Amino acid sequence: MTGADREGISLEELALAARNHAMPYEALRYDVTPVGLHYLLIHYDIPDVDVSAFRLSVGGHVETPLELTLDALRAMPSTTLAVTMECAGNGRALLEPRPVSQPWLLGAVGNAEWTGVPLRDVLAGAGVREGALEVLFTGRDRGVEGDIEQAYERSLPLDEAMREDVLLAFEMNWGSLLPQHGFPLRILVPGWYGMASVKWLERVTVLAEPFEGYQMATSYRMREDPDDPGEPITRIFPRSLMIPPGIPEFATRARIAEPGTHRLEGRAWSGFGRIERVEVSTDDGVTWADAVLGPEPASAFGWRAWSFDWRAEPGEHVLCCRATDSTGLTQPREPEWNVGGYRNTAVQRVTVLVR
Ligand SMILES: Nc1nc2c(c(=O)[nH]1)N[C@H]1C(S)=C(S)[C@@H](COP(=O)(O)O)O[C@H]1N2
Ligand SMILES: [Mo]
């Protein structure tokens, strides 16, 4: 189905799409996504943060509540990890009917190097009390969603929050966080969809009961219909994307390529396990062949490069790619429709006219 056949996009969706940009597919060529090419998703407005007055509060079910300056956090031992972050709504606009929200095609992803202090070191300083269940992360940004005025906030189960790779991150690609990526501090949860990595972090609260806020109880759940409470969305399902070969037609983005051998290149990632296989189809998913995998990424949740030599013959071809991880999870041919339009990891299809 071409764009013109599909139900038109609304001005509200356009307003969201123009604020929250995707990573262009050609940026899959970079192992580390340049900051300005990383996707962006901001539910409300970017808050104005006075960094001289900034304090991170750590409280709730702890022995000693803390108020930490940025300098105090920067003075602690820090780690840098290359992490693929992806929005849970990536692929939403390809669902039919299209759930109305940020209308992502497939570019809501990026692989950045994040520097920060392990959250567990800070929690150890505060002393988590017996009976703690979850850790709540509250951002400074406020808005109205589902008729509820709220700060953007999400919780994590305590065992996830205590992983050594969950960072209080203050740098992205070796520079201070930019305003749009959470300046001056965000939480980074490798392997989980982006909604868990709360930006503009103001407060960390240890909880002895589950947090039932809007972004947990209503948003970010796989629901078959509006009455279905659904299952929460957590880790990133495997996906692979390719750099579309050839050149684009400006208005339609249709690809045009010369006959001959094209090296197809892309990246694959998963929040469940290592990428073990990427396959390519040049006949719209009828037959598949293995791509050549690049080296194992240095960090567990960084993306992995792959390539595939395609002998392009004149005519129209639909190229597809599909990733499988070490837990055996792979990508379906068709999406699983759901109310929020989440986790559409159906294989990418790129139509190329060879002439
Ligand atoms: N405070 C706050 N944190 C947030 C969001 C937000 O709107 N507010 N958006 C979340 C979502 S849905 C995603 S996908 C990621 C996007 O991070 P990025 O814009 O740095 O790529 O941030 C998450 N953290
Ligand atoms: Mo997201």
Side-chain angles (χ1 to χ4, degrees):
M1 192 173 253
T2 69
D5 302 329
R6 298 177 74 104
E7 192 189 322
I9 200 160
S10 68
L11 277 180
E12 285 81 2
E13 288 172 287
L14 176 60
L16 286 171
R19 281 186 66 77
N20 299 312
H21 68 76
M23 183 190 75
Y25 300 120
E26 62 272 29
L28 289 161
R29 71 168 76 99
Y30 307 109
D31 196 28
V32 176
T33 310
V35 177
L37 294 178
H38 194 280
Y39 86 99
L40 209 58
L41 186 57
I42 301 161
H43 281 231
Y44 314 132
D45 292 348
I46 298 170
D48 185 20
V49 183
D50 172 5
V51 71
S52 62
F54 176 83
R55 300 281 184 284
L56 175 71
S57 328
V58 181
H61 207 65
V62 296
E63 305 290 349
T64 319
L66 306 173
E67 294 275 319
L68 297 167
T69 63
L70 215 50
D71 285 346
L73 282 168
R74 284 179 176 274
M76 294 177 65
S78 63
T79 325
T80 300
L81 296 172
V83 172
T84 300
M85 191 183 293
E86 183 180 19
C87 181
N90 201 14
R92 174 181 292 128
L94 299 173
L95 295 173
E96 288 176 67
R98 185 179 66 249
V100 176
S101 181
Q102 168 71 24
W104 294 123
L105 296 169
L106 295 173
V109 65
N111 186 64
E113 292 185 320
W114 301 92
T115 302
V117 171
L119 172 71
R120 70 172 180 191
D121 295 352
V122 169
L123 289 178
V128 172
R129 278 162 48 199
E130 193 72 25
L133 262 188
E134 292 191 352
V135 181
L136 174 65
F137 304 98
T138 306
R140 272 166 201 266
D141 49 331
R142 289 191 75 77
V144 177
E145 208 173 334
D147 287 333
I148 300 167
E149 185 181 326
Q150 56 191 292
Y152 185 91
E153 52 184 352
R154 296 241 336 154
S155 68
L156 269 185
L158 184 67
D159 56 338
E160 292 286 338
M162 286 299 204
R163 279 164 42 191
E164 65 177 348
D165 59 347
V166 170
L167 303 182
L168 288 163
F170 40 74
E171 283 186 6
M172 180 182 187
N173 293 358
W174 306 97
S176 170
L177 290 184
L178 292 182
Q180 61 271 36
H181 288 293
F183 176 82
L185 190 71
R186 78 184 299 173
I187 195 77
L188 181 80
V189 186
W192 281 51
Y193 281 111
M195 76 277 156
S197 293
V198 176
K199 303 193 269 193
W200 310 293
L201 188 64
E202 176 168 48
R203 209 159 57 241
V204 172
T205 314
V206 178
L207 299 178
E209 64 290 318
F211 175 65
E212 303 284 359
Y214 183 85
Q215 305 297 342
M216 304 301 295
T218 308
S219 260
Y220 300 113
R221 303 182 78 90
M222 289 295 274
R223 295 186 295 159
E224 284 176 31
D225 59 68
D227 299 327
D228 173 12
E231 287 299 310
I233 295 197
T234 60
R235 286 171 182 268
I236 299 175
F237 274 46
R239 187 195 300 275
S240 55
L241 289 178
M242 74 177 88
I243 302 173
I247 56 171
E249 200 278 316
F250 170 67
T252 60
R253 311 306 298 174
R255 309 300 302 187
I256 300 141
E258 302 292 317
T261 300
H262 291 264
R263 173 150 296 178
L264 302 179
E265 289 184 306
R267 307 273 172 179
W269 59 91
S270 166
F272 286 89
R274 303 232 152 214
I275 291 297
E276 287 201 334
R277 187 176 195 192
V278 173
E279 296 156 284
V280 171
S281 170
T282 58
D283 54 11
D284 201 7
V286 179
T287 60
W288 294 87
D290 280 315
V292 177
L293 293 179
E296 284 253 355
S299 346
F301 300 112
W303 62 22
R304 186 167 194 178
W306 59 264
S307 66
F308 182 90
D309 286 337
W310 172 44
R311 291 269 296 277
E313 310 266 345
E316 193 176 84
H317 306 276
V318 179
L319 310 180
C320 310
C321 56
R322 138 177 115 190
T324 304
D325 73 12
S326 52
T327 72
L329 275 172
T330 187
Q331 298 182 245
R333 164 132 180 105
E334 296 298 336
E336 185 191 339
W337 191 91
N338 62 96
V339 175
Y342 300 118
R343 220 167 64 191
N344 172 10
T345 60
V347 294
Q348 180 193 18
R349 298 168 72 222
V350 179
T351 303
V352 185
L353 178 65
V354 177
R355 59 172 197 205

